[in-house]
Structure formats: structure tokens, C-alpha cells
Amino acid sequence: MESQRVSVVTGGGSGIGRAAATRLAAAGDRVVIADRDAAAGQRVVATIRGSGGAADFLPVDVASEASVEALADAVERDVGPVAVLVNSAGVLQNVAELATYSMDEHDKVWSINYRGTYLCCRAFAPRMARRRVGSVVNISSTSAVDAMPLIAYGPGKAAVQQLTAILAVEFGPDNVRFNSVMPGYVLTEQMQARIDAGKRDPHSMQGHSALGRMVTPEDVAEGIHFLCSSAASCITGIVLPIDAGYLPAVTYLHHPGLGGVHPRRTDKRPVT
Ligand SMILES: NC(=O)c1ccc[n+]([C@@H]2O[C@H](COP(=O)([O-])OP(=O)(O)OC[C@H]3O[C@@H](n4cnc5c(N)ncnc54)[C@H](O)[C@@H]3O)[C@@H](O)[C@H]2O)c1
């Protein structure tokens, strides 16, 4: 019998990571939920096992080199050879300006979103390379390419994309693929909390998309599943937008001839 593929999902306790872990387990993978929130991670493990899937929880702080190395050792020793890594551990950022944004906040965002992704690639990719099988998916954001008032988060995501492209070429000879997904506004629990706190406007997030809706974690999980599948075996170094058409819509709607009103939407409130 062919052995079960082992996939590691950092940040698998919540949001996009939870949806990706659930999707990969439904496809037959043995999934390791690696998260700093043990209670959340264990809940996801219980749900996956409850639906007949295979999952384990291991704790990690992706910002810590020692913690990430310990995770990689533990997975390979106790679960099996890792074939898929999804780097979804991350934090969001609220709107901020250069002069008043604290360096502690800035460094926290970079240490988790960029350094965490870097450390996990560094720990797992050489192991995949030795076996000549592997697929890594990193999580970018539309703020990597469009200027938003997210002064640490956006540049950090641009760096994640650039790292992904570099590693795709470095590890191409080893048959290890690196790709990014680029979600738009995803309606996770964290995002809902920001909406409830008045820090994000749902009308604006939905309006700034071709499809007039927010992205779900499951939408992103489908893209991640595809990029890790054999159907994507010739795809490496790409950035896959999963944004309900945010990227084209944002410039279209802000054309000075439209004033933020879509010509064919029934909701005529301007999108600002
Ligand atoms: N929600 C969105 O709209 C959106 C859009 C684009 C990109 N993203 C990106 O998607 C990724 C996942 O975000 P989400 O919205 O699902 O967030 P989330 O808060 O729902 O999940 C993030 C998970 O990462 C874990 N985590 C945070 N710091 C960690 C650390 N140092 N070590 C280990 N685990 C840690 C958390 O415990 C949590 O379980 C992030 O990289 C985020 O930047 C999110």
C-alpha cells in the first residue's frame, strides 16, 4: 500500500490554515497542524479525525528558529517524511502611519509573517530536496502588490512572494516546488472581529471585487490544495490570486469616470 502523504500546515488552528488542513485531510493526507495555539490546533485535529481523516497537533512558534527546527525533527520522527508544507501562520495589521507605528508591532509582524515563513522553508525544504519530492505554499496578500496603509504587513508579504520565487528556482533541480497564493479580503474569524470593531468596512471589502463578495477560507484552501496536487506538478514560482477579482476591480472602480459606482451593480453606493 502506498504510504499516506504527510502535510504540515502552520497556523492550522484557525482561518486559512484550518481550511487548508481540512481540505488536505479530506483529500487523504495525514495532516500536521502546527500552531502556537494548542487548544485551537487540537480542536481542528478532533474535527478532522471526527470526519475520518488523519491529523496530529504539534506546537510551534514560527518566529523561533529552535521551535521550527524542533517541529521539523518531531514531524519526521513521529509522523513521517513531509511532502507538503503550507505556511499559514501569520498575523494581520491595522492601518498605521510611519511616524507613529511602534517598532515592536512592526517587528512582530515581520518576525511571524516573513521570518516565520523563511524559517519553515529553511527547516523543511532541504529534507524534501533529499527525497526529491515536495511542495510548499506560502501565503501572500493583495497588499503585496497594491499600496495599502499596512506599513509592515504589505512589505512583508511582498518579501514572502520574492522569497517564494527565489526558492522555486533554488530547489527546482530537487523537484521541490514553491508557490504562493495571494488572497484578497478573507472572511476569517480575525477579519470578522475587525469588522465588528469598526476597523474594516465590509461594504468596501465586498465592493472592491469583481464578484462583489469576500473570499472564504475554503476558497483559498482549494487553491492551496491544487498547488500541492499532481495536477500542478509543472507549476512552480507562481503567485495565484484568490481574491474574488479584487486586483482588476480596484483600478476599474476608481477610474475618474465612474466615481466608485459600478455601472451594472444594483447597489449604487460608491465604493471608497
Ligand atoms: N484574513 C485575510 O483577509 C488574509 C488575506 C490575505 C492573506 N492572509 C494571510 O493568511 C495567513 C493566515 O491568516 P488568517 O487570516 O487565516 O489568520 P488567523 O488568525 O485566522 O490564523 C492564523 C493562525 O496562525 C497562528 N499563529 C500566529 N502566530 C503564530 C506563531 N508565531 N507561530 C505559530 N502559529 C502562529 C494563530 O494561532 C492562528 O491559528 C496569514 O499569513 C495572513 O497574513 C489573510
Side-chain angles (χ1 to χ4, degrees):
M1 195 182 106
E2 211 173 292
S3 60
Q4 201 170 15
R5 187 173 79 164
V6 175
S7 296
V8 173
V9 182
T10 74
S14 172
I16 293 168
R18 177 174 58 204
T22 304
R23 181 67 184 88
L24 292 170
D29 288 4
R30 181 165 178 185
V31 181
V32 176
I33 314 292
D35 205 293
R36 68 176 174 189
D37 184 338
Q42 296 285 12
R43 278 196 297 275
V44 178
V45 167
T47 306
I48 290 174
R49 288 184 182 169
S51 346
D56 301 275
F57 172 77
L58 285 170
V60 71
D61 175 1
V62 295
S64 154
E65 181 181 353
S67 178
V68 170
E69 288 297 332
L71 169 72
D73 288 343
V75 178
E76 299 254 329
R77 184 185 63 235
D78 301 335
V79 183
V82 176
V84 166
L85 169 66
V86 179
N87 284 309
S88 194
V91 286
L92 302 181
Q93 189 213 314
N94 286 326
V95 166
E97 291 177 44
L98 183 67
T100 47
Y101 190 50
S102 92
M103 283 314 295
D104 282 351
E105 272 301 306
H106 173 278
D107 293 350
K108 187 184 99 182
V109 170
W110 269 82
S111 72
I112 298 173
N113 291 8
Y114 181 75
R115 180 182 159 86
T117 299
Y118 184 100
L119 285 173
C120 291
C121 291
R122 186 166 171 268
F124 285 98
R127 291 170 157 95
M128 294 173 170
R130 281 198 287 279
R131 296 186 286 266
R132 298 190 54 75
V133 56
S135 175
V136 177
V137 178
N138 294 328
I139 318 294
S140 180
S141 154
T142 47
S143 62
V145 292
D146 274 1
M148 297 184 189
L150 306 175
I151 203 154
Y153 185 89
K157 291 299 186 182
V160 165
Q161 277 187 207
Q162 181 72 337
L163 173 72
T164 309
I166 291 167
L167 296 181
V169 183
E170 183 178 328
F171 285 92
D174 307 303
N175 195 38
V176 179
R177 299 183 296 108
F178 285 79
N179 294 294
S180 309
V181 290
M182 185 200 275
Y185 295 114
V186 185
L187 193 53
T188 57
E189 284 144 356
Q190 299 294 327
M191 184 61 86
Q192 187 61 54
R194 281 177 156 72
I195 293 171
D196 295 344
K199 294 190 182 301
R200 295 285 194 281
D201 173 8
H203 172 69
S204 174
M205 289 190 288
Q206 288 159 14
H208 279 111
S209 74
L211 297 177
R213 72 167 177 92
M214 290 184 70
V215 181
T216 65
E218 290 71 27
D219 292 325
V220 184
E222 287 298 337
I224 292 171
H225 170 255
F226 165 69
L227 289 171
C228 297
S229 73
S230 57
S233 63
C234 197
I235 298 177
T236 195
I238 71 154
V239 183
L240 177 63
I242 304 175
D243 64 351
Y246 164 87
L247 287 175
V250 76
T251 46
Y252 181 106
L253 286 163
H254 286 148
H255 186 275
L258 283 185
V261 181
H262 191 290
R264 293 188 42 242
R265 281 187 192 153
T266 49
D267 184 348
K268 294 298 178 195
R269 279 178 297 163
V271 177
T272 54

